[in-house]
């Protein structure tokens, strides 16, 4: 059964009759304030964005109106919930490394090469999923780089699915420019190739659980047809969304002045923690892009492969085990985000700085994975400082992931510029004394793993 929005002429076709009243209108206003004029009929709602992504991939066509969206292209690293939706539908997933500047989108030249190679192998890529505000690396895509990716994707006939869940978590809105592909392509009329997704639950949850998902579809062309099919799918599936959740989501999307102030203050506080964590990581000698949003940093310790191998740490799962054993459940190996398991990459969360640090004691024996760092005891739950085998298919031939971002301060090895972390800890000590102590713990564990400790 198909139902159209009264008074809007069905701008995006049919939509679920059971869709919560008021929520689509609030989502329209949310996107309008971000430079994307949107009618309520262009909006789809589901209990979380992963279900919306599944519906979009299931409904995608080949650009000519024929069902079957082809294979799916993902940047690597990328959020862990992207690939399962494609594989659930039997779609082949090809990953493309991200550039040195940021995460969340593929390097434009690597994207074109991957499309060429996929087609030469007899497959047809159809959808590219990207995130201009990247949850994994904590970075924002520079507009000029995003423009290159969008131009390449449209030229190759790809549907762009832009996950913008984390765009409101920028640490300093005056220094970080975020542009949606839909906004970027609108002046040329190419925004019919762009679907925008957001999940209202993930940034507000310390553990990143899904919440209410919203999607914006174009009002014409390919995007309109896609919106019609997605609404039909959701009408048939009738995913449950409680009235309480819908009302809370509508309130969040309306963005009262108080909510905006709280979100800005919380993002600023999280940014201080993220910058401090970045200092500790880079002063240990790891490579890591400077974070500008969210609560994560993504560290590359591959330069220490020989030292880590001597401790039995030869891949991302073992690196994750060593850090979890030493710091608690605040480290996730890069293999969880589409990077090759052999690459020694790990994502760390600022939540580890907002827990009670371990009692001072010498490291006790090897932790899982071979680290000498001992386990951390006595930690509380994280405080909420937010807004409420071979290389992967389509990846680089060597299996390596993204080119690393800025590394240690000039002047040498792991001990160079060690004062930056001390200065960060001192600045945190007044308001968050536990964060300063936990930061010292993180620095000690990383220095021990990389043999950078003065001991």
């Amino acid at each position: 059964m198909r139902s159209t929005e009264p008074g809007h002429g069905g701008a995006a076709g049919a939509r679920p009759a059971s869709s919560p009243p008021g929520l689509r209108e609030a989502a329209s206003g949310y996107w309008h304030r971000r430079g994307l004029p949107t009618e309520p009929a262009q909006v789809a709602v589901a209990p979380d964005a992963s279900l919306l992504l599944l519906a979009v991939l299931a409904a995608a066509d080949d650009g000519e109106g024929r069902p079957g969206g082809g294979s799916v292209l993902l940047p690597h690293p990328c959020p862990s919930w992207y690939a399962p939706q494609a594989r659930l539908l039997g779609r082949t997933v090809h990953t493309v490394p991200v550039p040195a500047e940021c995460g969340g989108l593929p390097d434009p030249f690597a994207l074109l090469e991957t499309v060429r190679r996929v087609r030469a192998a007899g497959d047809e890529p159809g959808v590219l999923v990207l995130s201009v505000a990247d949850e994994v690396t904590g970075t924002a895509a520079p507009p000029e780089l995003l423009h290159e990716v969008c131009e390449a994707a449209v030229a190759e006939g790809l549907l762009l699915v832009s996950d913008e869940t984390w765009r409101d978590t920028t640490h300093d809105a005056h220094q970080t420019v975020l542009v949606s592909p839909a906004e970027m392509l609108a002046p040329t009329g190419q925004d019919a190739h762009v679907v925008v997704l957001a999940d209202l639950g993930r940034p507000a949850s310390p553990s990143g659980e899904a919440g209410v998902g919203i999607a914006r579809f174009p009002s014409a062309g390919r995007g309109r047809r896609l919106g019609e099919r997605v609404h039909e799918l959701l009408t048939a599936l009738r995913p449950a969304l409680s009235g309480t959740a819908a009302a809370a989501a509508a309130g969040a999307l309306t963005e009262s002045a108080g909510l905006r102030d709280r979100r800005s203050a919380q993002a600023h506080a999280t940014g201080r923690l993220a910058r401090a964590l970045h200092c500790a990581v880079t002063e240990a000698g790891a490579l890591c892009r400077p974070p500008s949003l969210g609560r994560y940093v993504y560290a590359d310790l591959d330069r220490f492969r020989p030292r880590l191998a001597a401790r039995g740490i030869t891949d991302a799962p073992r690196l994750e085990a060593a850090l979890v054993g030493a710091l608690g459940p605040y480290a996730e190996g890069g293999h969880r985000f589409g990077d090759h398991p052999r690459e020694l990459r790990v994502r760390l969360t600022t939540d580890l700085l907002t827990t009670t640090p371990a009692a001072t004691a010498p490291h006790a024996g090897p932790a899982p994975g071979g680290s000498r760092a001992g386990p951390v005891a006595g930690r509380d739950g994280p405080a909420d400082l937010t807004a409420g085998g071979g290389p992967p298919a389509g990846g680089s031939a060597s299996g390596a992931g993204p080119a690393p971002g800025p590394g240690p301060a000039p002047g040498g090895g792991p001990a160079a510029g060690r004062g930056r972390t001390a200065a960060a800890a001192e600045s945190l000590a007044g308001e968050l004394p536990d964060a300063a102590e936990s930061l010292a713990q993180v620095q000690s564990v990383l220095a021990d793993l990389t043999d950078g400790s003065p001991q």
Side-chain angles (χ1 to χ4, degrees), residues 5-403:
E5 172 70 13
H8 293 288
R15 70 177 195 188
S18 59
S19 190
L23 184 49
R24 287 185 304 278
E25 288 76 6
S28 298
Y30 170 88
W31 276 310
H32 186 83
R33 291 188 294 275
R34 286 154 181 78
L36 292 174
T38 305
E39 293 294 327
Q42 292 174 249
V43 177
V45 178
D48 61 74
S50 58
L51 178 57
L52 287 172
L53 178 59
L54 180 69
V56 168
L57 296 178
D61 60 32
D62 62 359
E64 302 296 331
R66 295 183 294 267
S71 56
V72 178
L73 301 175
L74 302 177
H76 73 86
C78 71
S80 58
W81 57 276
Y82 290 177
Q85 313 308 314
R87 294 188 174 119
L88 187 63
L89 295 168
R91 301 286 175 81
T92 304
V93 173
H94 304 279
T95 64
V96 190
V98 301
E101 296 92 325
C102 66
L105 75 173
D107 176 271
F109 297 103
L111 172 62
L112 291 172
E113 172 58 23
T114 300
V115 170
R116 183 200 64 77
R117 186 169 63 248
V118 168
R119 285 178 176 156
D123 194 3
E124 183 59 34
V127 181
L128 169 63
V129 185
L130 52 79
S131 55
V132 293
D134 184 39
E135 163 197 356
V136 179
T137 62
T139 59
E144 60 277 7
L145 187 59
L146 176 63
H147 188 264
E148 291 183 45
V149 171
C150 289
E151 279 194 328
V154 170
E156 297 298 334
L158 302 177
L159 173 72
L160 280 161
V161 179
S162 178
D163 173 20
E164 300 179 12
T165 294
W166 291 77
R167 69 170 297 157
D168 297 320
T169 66
T170 52
H171 302 154
D172 187 341
H174 300 292
Q175 293 185 2
T176 304
V177 178
L178 279 172
V179 183
S180 170
E183 181 185 0
M184 183 170 283
L185 295 174
T188 61
Q190 295 175 314
D191 55 324
H193 292 265
V194 184
V195 175
V196 180
L197 294 182
D199 193 310
L200 305 181
R202 295 179 195 273
S205 166
S207 51
E209 291 99 343
V212 175
I214 55 174
R216 177 193 184 273
F217 296 94
S219 60
R222 180 185 187 181
R224 173 175 174 159
R225 296 192 302 270
L226 177 62
E228 292 172 353
R229 287 194 291 272
V230 167
H231 286 141
E232 290 172 349
L233 280 170
L234 293 176
T235 299
L237 293 173
R238 294 191 177 275
L241 182 63
S242 72
T244 303
L253 288 168
T254 303
E255 298 180 300
S256 67
L259 184 148
R260 292 196 302 270
D261 289 344
R262 289 193 302 274
R263 185 171 62 200
S264 176
Q266 290 165 349
H268 178 73
T270 303
R272 292 178 62 197
L273 296 174
R275 288 188 294 274
L277 187 56
H278 178 261
C279 285
V281 166
T282 55
E283 285 179 9
L287 300 174
C288 185
R289 297 174 182 85
S292 59
L293 56 89
R295 57 177 176 265
Y296 301 107
V297 299
Y298 199 67
D300 185 337
L301 281 76
D302 206 65
R303 64 191 302 180
F304 299 107
R305 181 172 293 277
R307 298 178 186 175
L308 294 172
R311 299 165 181 244
I313 303 173
T314 56
D315 55 24
R318 289 181 175 86
L319 177 61
E320 175 189 287
L323 288 172
V324 167
L327 296 171
Y330 308 112
E332 296 174 278
H335 62 294
R336 299 184 183 276
F337 309 106
D339 271 343
H340 194 277
R342 288 193 66 254
E343 301 303 320
L344 294 169
R345 298 191 175 99
V346 65
R347 186 179 78 167
L348 300 172
T349 172
T350 56
D351 292 339
L352 69 85
L353 299 185
T354 59
T355 56
T356 305
T360 346
H363 294 319
S371 169
R372 289 179 301 177
V376 174
R379 289 187 179 271
D380 300 322
D384 185 4
L385 292 178
T386 63
S396 60
S398 66

